[in-house]
């Protein structure tokens, strides 16, 4: 019977992807090995939250549950192996066309299983739950968690991820280009004083960033310093405190930048906000929401922010276009 | 009260078990990934025949790795919460009593969240902490609810309500002052969640605890019937009221602690199901306890199936589904009874 043979073939296919020593018994393993042309032993790696993961080699079918990880996969040129991603994975636009497995926070395990991934990627600190990884462990689906708290962490995540999925070279290229941009920016900002800013994650209630987040690190790179200094990652901030500290700049990273103008106009008449000199004097930096994602694009958003906070440092360049900066400023 | 015969009890339970069976089969079939009845039947047969080495096909993994464990968890949690609800209602002679109202659920959640903060990501620690905290909360409420050495129903209920508010507030406090992004995981813990499968070892412990808890409450069923008429009267009829109360209280807490430790705080079942069963089959505790167990299982499995299916591939919190569909159903039963 056809369907029976098909199911058997599927079963064998999945076995072939399974790490050895799991549920596979020796006899079945030899079957699987006979089916495959180049059987490689799975690799043991430790992911960024300290879990031990057995990565099958090579990695052929990837499911990403976090938007920043999806962006990394595309940057590493491995998008053809990405068979599914989360509802929140919207960049690059092609990522929206991948099979969706639900929200990053409540992904549908059935949908993930149905995609027969040999590796699921999550971001422990941005939107995914540890419980999801545990549940996938019980199903013997290898799950690798990234977890970045600084820009260096992000670079390391990209290198490690490249290593795990077999895109080491691409990872090196991506991080080298990011580092080049970072060095350039640091040179430009060498003589500037850090601007005191309030990074507005959410306005109502006001949520800003803590000192241990990658965003605080991104601000440091952009020649800025958050006025909020707390060990909580996403603190609810009292407006009184903000009025008292009087940030030099407000930083917004809206999803829809088109609505920002009306939004800023509204701030001028909102109690609390209208008492901020930054609002009165229109010292508001609006950057792409790419800054909210620990992924390669973050660096571009940081440059964009630095340009708004320290226009004087960029004044020497011949014109305002980004391209002119790529090889400008010979030392 | 109708006289109870063994025959009637078996008929009622048999009918409910049949409903539960149908519900389980439907719950196995329905989900984000469509599975045809043939595939389902074939996979079931294969397991029954014992050839479960072929489970690695993705249907097998979805049915037996994801749906069945989740359904079993739903059955356990539903039975535990309903029976403990029925127990608390008899104990306090108050139709509003349920694990939620008595603060046991939020006490358990509090324990789980403490564990998530201080011992994050250690397997088994979170459910264990939830269980210990739920039982400790019960002991505390029990202690606070005494008046002149006697367990006073009103005081106990009040103590429970206050404890509940207190722990809810502490949980909010912990979540606001918390360090990282983990707080959203905790929020889910508060809403009740069946999506994380149980490890096999926990499943056995849970099953054993469930049987012991329900069994212990069932041994007091005849006495509970008398106690609901009045404690003094029961005492005159030879019921050891203090002992019965203690057994029911400890067992109901054990059951609630177990449920909270694996699924977070799922509300409404403990209140709704025993009342529905009372309206359907009468208030004889010898019938009420087994029917509540099965009815609770049915209610939670149905609600969880809807939670999985309605907005698939995203999921709803099972507690919300229970309230949305349970409340109108409950009101319908109530009106029909009055008519």
């Amino acid at each position: 019977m056809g369907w029976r043979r098909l199911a058997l073939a599927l079963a064998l296919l999945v076995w072939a992807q399974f790490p050895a020593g799991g549920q596979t018994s020796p006899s079945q393993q030899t079957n699987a090995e006979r089916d495959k042309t180049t059987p490689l032993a799975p690799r043991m790696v430790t992911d960024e939250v300290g879990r031990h993961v057995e990565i099958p080699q090579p990695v052929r079918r990837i499911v990403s549950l976090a938007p920043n990880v999806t962006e990394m996969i595309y940057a590493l040129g491995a998008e053809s192996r990405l068979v599914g991603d989360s509802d929140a994975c919207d960049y690059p636009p092609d990522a929206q066309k991948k099979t969706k497995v639900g929200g990053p926070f409540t992904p549908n395990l059935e949908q993930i299983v149905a995609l027969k991934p040999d590796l699921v990627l999550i971001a422990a600190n941005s939107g995914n739950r540890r419980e999801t990884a545990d549940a996938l462990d019980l199903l013997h689906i290898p799950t690798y968690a990234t977890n970045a708290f600084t820009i260096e962490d992000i670079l390391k995540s990209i290198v490690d991820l490249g290593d795990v999925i077999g895109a080491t070279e691409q990872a090196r290229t991506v991080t080298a280009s990011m580092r080049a941009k970072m060095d350039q920016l640091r040179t430009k900002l060498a003589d500037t004083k850090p601007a005191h800013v309030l990074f507005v994650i959410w306005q109502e209630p006001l949520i800003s960033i803590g000192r241990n987040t990658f965003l605080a690190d991104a601000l440091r790179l952009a020649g800025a310093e958050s006025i909020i200094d707390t060990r909580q990652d996403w603190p609810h901030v009292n407006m009184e405190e903000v009025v008292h500290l009087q940030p030099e700049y407000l930083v917004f990273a809206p999803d829809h930048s088109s609505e920002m103008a009306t939004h800023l106009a509204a701030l001028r008449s909102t109690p609390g906000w209208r008492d901020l000199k930054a609002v009165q004097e229109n010292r508001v930096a609006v950057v792409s929401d790419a800054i909210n994602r620990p992924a390669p694009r973050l660096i571009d958003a940081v440059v964009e922010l630095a340009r708004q906070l320290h226009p004087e440092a960029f004044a020497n360049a011949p014109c305002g276009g980004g391209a002119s900066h790529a090889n400008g400023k010979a030392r | 009260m109708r006289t109870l015969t063994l025959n009637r009890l078996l008929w009622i339970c048999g009918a409910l078990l049949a409903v539960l069976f149908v519900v389980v089969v439907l719950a196995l079939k329905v989900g984000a990934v469509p599975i045809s009845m043939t595939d389902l039947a074939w996979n079931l047969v294969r397991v029954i025949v014992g050839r479960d080495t072929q489970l690695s096909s993705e249907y097998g993994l979805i049915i037996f790795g994801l749906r069945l464990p989740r359904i079993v968890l739903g059955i356990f949690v539903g039975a535990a919460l309903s029976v403990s609800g029925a127990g608390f209602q008899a104990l306090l002679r108050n139709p509003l009593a349920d694990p939620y109202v008595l603060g046991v659920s939020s006490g358990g959640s509090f324990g789980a969240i403490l564990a998530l903060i201080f011992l994050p990501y250690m397997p088994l620690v979170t459910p264990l902490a939830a269980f210990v905290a739920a039982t400790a909360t019960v002991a505390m409420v029990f202690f606070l609810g005494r008046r002149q050495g006697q367990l006073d129903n009103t005081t106990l209920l009040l103590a429970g309500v206050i404890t509940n508010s207190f722990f809810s507030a502490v949980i909010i406090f912990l979540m606001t002052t918390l360090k990282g992004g983990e707080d959203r995981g905790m929020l889910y813990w508060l809403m009740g969640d069946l999506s994380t499968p149980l490890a096999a070892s926990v499943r056995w412990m849970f099953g054993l605890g469930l049987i012991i808890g329900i069994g212990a409450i069932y041994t007091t069923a005849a006495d509970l019937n008398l106690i609901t008429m009045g404690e003094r009267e029961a005492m005159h009829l030879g019921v050891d009221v203090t002992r019965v109360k203690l057994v029911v209280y400890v067992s109901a807490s054990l059951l609630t602690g177990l449920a909270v430790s694996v699924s977070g705080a799922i509300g409404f079942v403990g209140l709704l199901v025993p009342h529905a069963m009372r309206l359907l089959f009468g208030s004889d505790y010898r019938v009420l306890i087994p029917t509540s167990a099965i009815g609770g299982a049915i209610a939670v499995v149905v609600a969880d199936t809807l939670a999985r299916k309605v907005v698939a591939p995203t999921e709803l919190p099972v507690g919300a589904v229970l309230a949305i569909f349970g409340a109108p159903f409950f009101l319908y039963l109530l009106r029909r009874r009055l008519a």
Side-chain angles (χ1 to χ4, degrees):
Chain A
M1 278 202 269
W3 54 276
R4 194 177 179 137
R5 205 169 299 152
L6 185 74
L8 201 69
L10 277 178
L12 277 175
L13 197 76
V14 176
W15 272 330
Q17 323 274 351
F18 260 56
Q23 296 181 319
T24 332
S25 77
S27 65
Q28 290 148 1
Q29 206 182 330
T30 48
N31 271 342
E33 273 167 9
R34 223 175 290 141
D35 279 7
K36 265 189 162 180
T37 42
T38 47
L40 288 169
R43 266 181 61 199
M44 275 308 280
V45 297
T46 306
D47 73 5
E48 291 175 17
V49 296
R51 296 164 60 254
H52 298 289
V53 192
E54 236 176 35
I55 314 273
Q57 297 294 322
V59 178
R60 292 203 178 91
R61 298 178 66 83
I62 302 171
V63 169
S64 159
L65 299 183
N68 68 312
V69 176
T70 301
E71 289 193 26
M72 287 182 192
I73 294 293
Y74 274 86
L76 294 174
E79 64 268 25
S80 61
R81 288 187 274 159
L82 187 69
V83 293
D85 61 12
S86 79
D87 294 347
C89 298
D90 54 0
Y91 189 92
D94 185 56
Q96 296 168 17
K97 292 185 215 137
K98 299 281 181 185
T99 307
K100 296 293 172 185
V101 297
F105 196 60
T106 54
N108 193 293
L109 296 175
E110 290 185 7
Q111 203 75 260
I112 296 174
V113 170
L115 288 170
K116 293 173 283 174
D118 38 31
L119 182 63
V120 176
L121 299 172
I122 69 169
N125 205 28
S126 40
N128 295 140
R129 278 193 302 165
R130 172 66 184 245
E131 284 86 344
T132 306
D134 295 340
L136 289 167
D137 278 347
L138 285 180
L139 298 169
H140 303 281
I141 296 174
T143 307
Y144 182 91
T146 66
N147 200 14
F149 297 101
T150 63
I151 291 181
E152 275 308 317
D153 286 352
I154 298 171
L155 291 165
K156 191 176 174 305
S157 286
I158 295 171
V159 170
D160 290 349
L161 203 60
D163 194 37
V164 162
I165 66 168
T168 320
E169 274 311 306
Q170 291 91 326
R172 205 166 294 155
T173 319
V174 170
T175 48
S177 128
M178 287 168 74
R179 277 197 198 282
K181 286 180 198 163
M182 286 163 67
D183 289 343
Q184 227 170 32
L185 185 60
R186 286 206 185 95
T187 319
K188 277 208 178 73
L189 297 176
D191 302 328
T192 56
K193 256 182 37 200
H196 292 265
V197 303
L198 173 73
F199 195 106
V200 183
I201 292 276
W202 200 257
Q203 198 188 319
E204 208 58 58
L206 178 57
I207 296 176
S208 188
I209 57 171
R211 75 170 87 104
N212 296 325
T213 57
F214 70 91
L215 275 169
D217 202 39
L219 283 186
R220 285 190 279 271
L221 180 63
E225 200 172 20
S226 174
I227 56 163
I228 307 296
D229 184 41
T230 166
R231 52 179 286 277
Q232 282 171 255
D233 282 350
W234 313 111
H236 287 239
V237 179
N238 191 321
M239 201 63 211
E240 275 179 29
E241 181 76 2
V242 180
V243 173
H244 169 70
L245 292 170
Q246 286 294 346
E248 292 170 58
Y249 276 92
L250 301 182
V251 181
F252 288 90
D255 293 342
H256 312 285
S257 46
S258 51
E259 292 157 18
M260 210 51 217
T262 39
H263 185 71
L264 289 178
L267 278 190
R268 283 202 192 88
S269 54
T270 311
W273 292 93
R274 66 181 173 210
D275 302 322
L276 295 178
K277 288 203 187 70
V279 171
Q280 293 158 7
E281 293 162 22
N282 208 15
R283 278 181 277 120
V284 176
V286 180
V287 292
S288 141
D289 65 335
I291 205 166
N292 291 331
R293 287 186 188 173
R297 276 198 304 155
L298 172 79
I299 305 295
D300 302 317
V302 168
V303 174
E304 198 188 327
L305 176 61
R307 197 186 294 276
Q308 294 178 52
L309 297 179
H310 301 287
E312 74 286 352
F314 292 82
N316 295 347
C319 69
S324 62
H325 289 280
N327 29 349
K329 280 219 116 173
R331 284 197 284 175
Chain B
M1 195 185 294
R2 268 211 267 168
T3 43
L4 178 75
T5 60
L6 186 64
N7 226 348
R8 178 162 177 264
L9 181 65
L10 288 180
W11 264 109
I12 292 174
C13 290
L16 280 175
L17 281 175
V19 174
L20 179 63
F21 179 76
V22 172
V23 164
V24 166
V25 171
L26 283 177
L28 277 176
K29 183 180 156 32
V30 173
V33 175
I35 293 181
S36 71
M37 220 59 198
T38 359
D39 281 324
L40 179 61
W42 194 58
N43 273 294
L44 283 176
V45 166
R46 237 174 23 187
V47 166
I48 293 164
V49 176
R51 296 175 64 190
D52 54 359
T53 44
Q54 305 196 354
L55 285 187
S56 300
S57 83
E58 87 255 26
Y59 281 163
L61 202 54
I62 288 174
I63 296 174
F64 298 104
L66 285 170
R67 290 189 190 166
L68 193 60
R70 191 166 168 159
I71 290 167
V72 170
L73 184 62
I75 291 175
F76 283 179
V77 168
L81 288 175
S82 309
V83 172
S84 70
F88 282 130
Q89 284 157 20
L91 199 68
L92 304 180
R93 277 181 292 136
N94 189 318
L96 274 179
D98 85 331
Y100 222 71
V101 175
L102 286 171
V104 190
S105 297
S106 57
S109 303
F110 171 70
I113 284 169
L114 272 190
L116 281 173
I117 293 173
F118 294 109
L119 294 164
Y121 308 142
M122 302 237 306
L124 291 187
V125 168
T126 314
L128 203 69
F131 178 71
V132 171
T135 338
T137 310
V138 169
M140 192 175 90
V141 173
F142 198 76
F143 182 76
L144 290 172
R146 288 186 321 166
R147 222 160 88 182
Q148 291 146 11
Q150 288 289 309
L151 202 57
D152 182 75
N153 292 336
T154 321
T155 319
L156 190 67
L157 204 59
L158 262 175
V161 171
I162 301 299
T163 311
N164 196 7
S165 321
F166 176 72
F167 277 126
S168 303
V170 173
I171 289 169
I172 303 278
F173 174 78
L174 285 175
M175 278 172 44
T176 334
T177 51
L178 213 74
K179 199 179 128 281
E182 305 99 357
D183 55 344
R184 297 210 293 162
M186 295 178 186
L187 202 63
Y188 227 62
W189 193 269
L190 277 181
M191 295 192 297
D193 176 25
L194 292 173
S195 68
T196 314
L198 279 186
S201 52
V202 187
R203 219 175 286 159
W204 287 114
M205 274 160 51
F206 196 108
L208 199 67
L210 187 76
I211 291 167
I212 293 174
I214 295 180
I217 293 187
Y218 194 69
T219 59
T220 65
D223 293 341
L224 283 180
N225 282 338
L226 297 175
I227 288 179
T228 47
M229 311 283 182
E231 281 176 28
R232 195 171 297 273
E233 290 80 350
M235 220 180 303
H236 288 314
L237 289 168
V239 176
D240 186 349
V241 174
T242 322
R243 192 192 63 86
V244 169
K245 277 180 139 182
L246 195 69
V247 168
V248 174
Y249 208 90
V250 170
S251 316
S253 318
L254 171 85
L255 291 173
T256 312
L258 283 174
V260 174
S261 70
V262 293
S263 64
I266 297 179
F268 215 66
V269 194
L271 185 67
L272 173 91
V273 174
H275 281 299
M277 293 302 140
R278 236 177 240 124
L279 293 170
L280 286 169
F281 305 114
S283 50
D284 184 341
Y285 269 82
R286 290 169 297 178
V287 182
L288 190 61
I289 288 163
T291 52
S292 291
I294 308 169
I298 295 172
V300 172
V301 172
V302 168
D304 189 50
T305 308
L306 290 170
R308 284 191 288 131
K309 187 60 192 172
V310 173
V311 287
T314 310
E315 288 185 9
L316 292 168
V318 63
V321 179
L322 271 168
I324 290 172
F325 291 94
F329 176 67
F330 182 68
L331 289 176
Y332 161 76
L333 285 179
L334 197 68
R335 298 305 307 173
R336 204 191 65 170
R337 178 81 168 192
L338 293 177

